[in-house]
Amino acid sequence: MQIRTKLTLQFTLLVSAIICGSFILIYVLADQYTSHDFHKRLRQKAISSAILLLKVKEVDSTLLKTIDLYKKDNLYRENISIYDDQGFEIYTSNDTIHFDTTQSLFSRIKKRGEITFSRNEFSAVGILFSNQDKQYTLLAEAVDSDGHTRLMTLRRLLSLLFVVLVAIVGWAGWFYSGRALAPIKKVMNEVQRISTVNLSHRLRESKNPDEIGKLVIIFNHLLSRIDNAFTLQKTFVSNVSHELKNPLTKITSQLEVTLFKDRLASEYKEIIQSVLEDIKELNQLSNSLLDLASLSQPEVSISTTKVRIDEILWEIRDIVQSINPAYKVNFHTVSMPVNEAGLYLQANSHLLKTAIQNLIENACKFSDDNVATVSLFCSPTELEIRIFDKGPGIEPTELQNIFQPFYRSNKTSQVKGHGIGLSLSQRIIDLHNGVIEIESTVGEGTQVTVVFYTKL
């Protein structure tokens, strides 16, 4: 069921229930007023007859019956009876209609002074009347035909009016729900025009946004994030293709040249060694891509154990210096905890080594003298690692993109690498609830600061 139809039905049902309740209340009040007015008329007639009969000496029961017979305001099937204090009937205005009197009825009238009751289609009143120290009981009844007719007319009128009003409410609900949902329909039409080809398209925002306007703003922000994700994905695929193409092309070219003629064993050995280096580079790239892809999953979980941070750094120092004899790593412990337990960190040893090794190796690679300086600062709540190099530095405009996969600045594009290390290191540090920051001064060098919180 569409929202417009649902809103119309809910609005119609709500208003119809209110109208129906109001009409029922009107009818009940009209019924009560009609009944009260009819009983009031019966009471006045009964008292008038009692006064004429009991207080006017010239009027007897025969004359009073004649007077009652020719009254113009007689009610339909009206009957007025007067009883003495012993319960004997001393007067009745209609000989064709008789009250079914009981002792309990007289007792109720004497106790309460006046009562109203119904008997079949008749409405009746009972009144205790006093005259010259004597008590009389007056009973008056009649059929309120006019009142019944008025109530029936009112029922028909309210029923017809209810049907008409429900129809009007239904149409009004359909019209106004359509107007209320028009902005949403407009947004839907604009969204349908958006595809992967034109993700740069944005929905028009209103100057004074309401709830729908705020939804448009949120949707535009979502489109921006999706657009950025698509752009990064395209760039990632393009860069991966380029990075894979280079070593594969190089390997293919070397093997094709080798097959042109027979060569000496030393030449074959040299070519195989070159191909092996390209294969190792390709393997390293593939492993880095797999690690980056697996760690980029939103719900990734890693197994952790307690590792000692200074031992990790010494181990990484030896690994980096063994990779390239020209690399040199100077390691300093600036501040040490009182208890060696402050050097331990809950982490995945393999991933932590990978992240810090990438950072130190980059520092050696880009430093003019291939030297990286690593400092360890310990405090009761955190472990801080600072890695400094004397490289060309990074432009401020390039720092914001430094953690994007495959991104390489103009100054470092000539240095061998793939541009994945920093992205991978950042993701690993994030998984360990750490923080990584880069500060760089052009012409002086770059400092990478990594902070791990031991107590959260």
Side-chain angles (χ1 to χ4, degrees), residues 4 32 107 111 131 287 374 389 440:
R4 185 179 185 183
Q32 290 179 351
S107 298
K111 182 178 180 180
N131 182 52
N287 290 334
V374 181
D389 68 69
S440 185

Side-chain angles (χ1 to χ4, degrees), residues 166-306:
V166 168
I168 294 174
V169 167
W171 175 84
W174 180 261
F175 176 75
Y176 283 105
S177 62
R179 289 189 60 181
L181 295 174
I184 296 180
K185 189 174 181 180
K186 184 179 179 181
V187 171
M188 291 170 57
N189 293 333
E190 289 190 45
V191 171
Q192 286 178 342
R193 293 197 295 267
I194 300 174
S195 65
T196 55
V197 180
N198 62 341
L199 278 175
S200 59
H201 178 74
R202 296 292 180 269
L203 304 181
R204 282 175 291 182
E205 299 178 2
S206 60
K207 295 181 180 179
N208 300 311
D210 51 8
E211 286 76 6
I212 297 176
K214 292 177 182 178
L215 178 63
V216 169
I217 294 174
I218 294 173
F219 190 80
N220 282 338
H221 291 165
L222 175 62
L223 282 177
S224 298
R225 293 194 294 271
I226 294 174
D227 190 16
N228 291 335
F230 267 82
T231 302
L232 290 175
Q233 184 182 39
K234 291 177 182 178
T235 305
F236 184 84
V237 173
S238 176
N239 290 328
V240 168
S241 302
H242 177 73
E243 293 293 338
L244 292 175
K245 182 180 179 181
N246 286 341
L248 290 174
T249 302
K250 191 176 178 181
I251 292 171
T252 303
S253 300
Q254 292 182 89
L255 294 177
E256 287 177 346
V257 171
T258 304
L259 293 175
F260 282 159
K261 63 178 181 178
D262 294 334
R263 300 178 183 274
L264 297 175
S266 59
E267 293 179 325
Y268 281 118
K269 186 176 181 180
E270 183 180 348
I271 293 172
I272 292 174
Q273 185 66 33
S274 177
V275 171
L276 181 60
E277 290 180 1
D278 292 333
I279 292 175
K280 287 182 178 179
E281 181 183 348
L282 187 61
N283 185 51
Q284 183 182 2
L285 175 61
S286 300
N287 290 334
S288 298
L289 288 173
L290 287 174
D291 289 339
L292 184 61
S294 61
L295 293 175
S296 297
Q297 298 298 323
E299 298 297 332
V300 64
S301 60
I302 57 175
S303 58
T304 61
T305 57
K306 282 191 174 183

